[in-house]
Amino acid sequence: METSCAADHSPNDAAERTTVVALDQSEESFHALQWALDTLRFGVSDRLVLVHARTSPLSHATGFGGAGTGYILGTEAVISMERSQEREINAFMDKAMELCREKKVKAVKHVVYGDARDVICEEIQKLNANMLVIGSHGYGAVKRTFLGSVSDYCAHHVKCPLIIVKKPHEKSHLKN
Amino acid sequence: MASEGDDNAAGSLLRRRKVLVAVDEGDESMHALSWALDNLIVPGQAVGAEHCSTSDLIVLLHVQTHPQVIVGPAGPGFYITPEIIDSIKKHQDEVSKKVLLRGKMLCNEKHLETETMVAVGDPRDSICEAVEKLGIDYLVIGSHGYGAIKRTFLGSVSDYCAHHAKCPVVIVKNK
């Protein structure tokens, strides 16, 4: 009792609280996750759900050849693209899980096909999440920070509290 | 004396956060404050009469609209007297006092050190400026979003702050 005067943070000891953390490969979303792990206090009854929205490689494939005309990819090509995408996804999602493990925070991965905006909002509903943590890819002219379209969308549409974490600009760093 | 770094499940050094909560007369901002107090903020424990140095510091900010803006531009035949300005300011100061006291009481329940602050101007700019000036770790703001079919949209102040504040922004929607 006397060793620390910050009270143990577990407001609803019985209830499990779910925090959705939206992730992609970007530095910004990892920064958001790390910020949440460092700043927020997660207790034993809390868990993070790391959500990544995955786009089908086909949507990239139809862009080849310009205006998506004329190219028909064989199933083998599609399968190999999906596999390589999966490897990439697993790589960074596992990295994210490791960050959670380091902070002894329970976490699970949810990789879902679809547009990030919809996937995040749907996962929040499905999981009845208590909170969303999301980074922002905002790029602004003249060193102003704006909001990326996914975080902006979520800010408008999710019903639960959300935390938008922007990556601070370096003083001498110019964002292109 | 409490040693920092103890009793944290994560094992990291406990550092107190400076959290800015924008409050106004509306229930939404008090709801946002309550939610943050229950879910995010590291509460303190009454340690004698002193506040715990590792619990978070809450800065409650109330932004008053500039009296000139309330009165509107002076036109022919209408002259804004200093008395009018004064009476508006007086009323606003009472509102600030009431709002900040309400917020402070919520924080006291968690034994948190609280600072109160009043700014005059546009809430959007005032909040973002306060974030920079005070070295705020994160901002908590309610959402006055009004939408058709009672969907939660984003009020203009929370939307602006989400875009422009230089710290993480916690937006708590209406219940």
Side-chain angles (χ1 to χ4, degrees):
Chain A
M1 273 278 238
E2 332 78 75
T3 50
S4 160
C5 60
D8 183 29
H9 174 66
S10 269
N12 301 311
D13 282 304
E16 189 194 59
R17 298 183 310 159
T18 302
T19 300
V20 167
V21 182
L23 282 182
D24 59 18
Q25 268 177 292
S26 68
E27 275 182 45
E28 284 81 3
S29 59
F30 269 77
H31 172 76
L33 172 62
Q34 191 66 65
W35 180 89
L37 291 169
D38 290 337
T39 311
L40 309 177
R41 306 286 187 259
F42 294 107
V44 288
S45 57
D46 295 327
R47 66 164 185 158
L48 297 186
V49 179
L50 309 179
V51 175
H52 173 68
R54 169 185 188 176
T55 45
S56 159
L58 283 174
S59 62
H60 298 293
T62 49
F64 294 157
T69 55
Y71 280 85
I72 300 168
L73 291 182
T75 32
E76 278 181 30
V78 173
I79 289 172
S80 100
M81 283 171 76
E82 290 208 336
R83 287 227 182 94
S84 108
Q85 190 195 54
E86 224 162 79
R87 270 195 298 272
E88 277 184 36
I89 291 175
N90 286 336
F92 75 80
M93 288 300 270
D94 286 340
K95 219 172 70 168
M97 292 289 285
E98 183 54 40
L99 291 178
C100 301
R101 241 190 311 269
E102 283 173 18
K103 293 280 182 174
K104 301 194 172 62
V105 178
K106 246 190 322 189
V108 294
K109 305 182 275 189
H110 278 205
V111 178
V112 184
Y113 274 102
D115 181 272
R117 281 163 278 232
D118 300 320
V119 166
I120 293 168
C121 293
E122 277 168 25
E123 283 294 294
I124 287 172
Q125 283 221 40
K126 271 197 271 186
L127 297 165
N128 200 19
N130 298 93
M131 173 165 85
L132 165 68
V133 176
I134 187 166
S136 171
H137 287 250
Y139 300 108
V142 203
K143 288 190 75 169
R144 295 193 67 207
T145 41
F146 290 106
L147 212 59
S149 61
V150 176
S151 34
D152 188 55
Y153 183 89
C154 291
H156 282 78
H157 291 92
V158 300
K159 298 206 174 71
C160 66
L162 73 151
I163 309 182
I164 301 174
V165 185
K166 298 190 214 83
K167 194 153 191 272
H169 287 171
E170 307 297 343
K171 271 263 172 92
S172 53
H173 189 260
L174 277 173
K175 271 218 177 277
N176 39 321
Chain B
M1 201 56 221
S3 65
E4 295 201 31
D6 267 352
D7 279 333
N8 186 336
S12 65
L13 215 59
L14 275 173
R15 181 178 79 79
R16 78 183 326 196
R17 315 291 166 179
K18 213 171 184 183
V19 181
L20 180 69
V21 185
V23 289
D24 63 14
E25 286 178 281
D27 286 331
E28 290 85 9
S29 58
M30 287 302 154
H31 169 67
L33 173 60
S34 285
W35 185 88
L37 290 172
D38 287 339
N39 290 278
L40 299 180
I41 287 165
V42 179
Q45 272 177 16
V47 181
E50 315 241 327
H51 286 286
C52 176
S53 62
T54 51
S55 62
D56 293 333
L57 168 67
I58 314 297
V59 179
L60 298 171
L61 167 67
H62 180 238
V63 183
Q64 296 177 355
T65 319
H66 198 282
Q68 287 286 66
V69 174
I70 293 179
V71 177
F78 181 60
Y79 184 66
I80 303 167
T81 63
E83 286 81 26
I84 294 176
I85 301 284
D86 278 345
S87 82
I88 293 174
K89 188 76 175 65
K90 191 158 168 265
H91 168 75
Q92 292 203 334
D93 286 339
E94 280 171 23
V95 171
S96 290
K97 218 167 107 182
K98 191 179 70 176
V99 165
L100 291 170
L101 182 64
R102 198 175 159 200
K104 210 165 168 156
M105 278 168 55
L106 286 175
C107 296
N108 285 345
E109 286 173 21
K110 304 273 179 175
H111 306 289
L112 285 162
E113 195 181 325
T114 318
E115 278 176 22
T116 58
M117 188 174 155
V118 176
V120 182
D122 187 315
R124 282 166 280 226
D125 299 318
S126 300
I127 292 170
C128 292
E129 271 170 35
V131 163
E132 283 210 64
K133 263 203 303 206
L134 301 172
I136 296 295
D137 286 296
Y138 63 93
L139 166 68
V140 178
I141 193 164
S143 165
H144 282 261
Y146 302 107
I149 335 167
K150 291 200 84 177
R151 299 259 336 267
T152 40
F153 290 108
L154 213 57
S156 61
V157 176
S158 33
D159 186 55
Y160 184 91
C161 291
H163 281 72
H164 294 99
K166 296 234 166 71
C167 67
V169 179
V170 181
I171 302 174
V172 185
K173 304 282 183 86
N174 314 340
K175 255 303 163 205

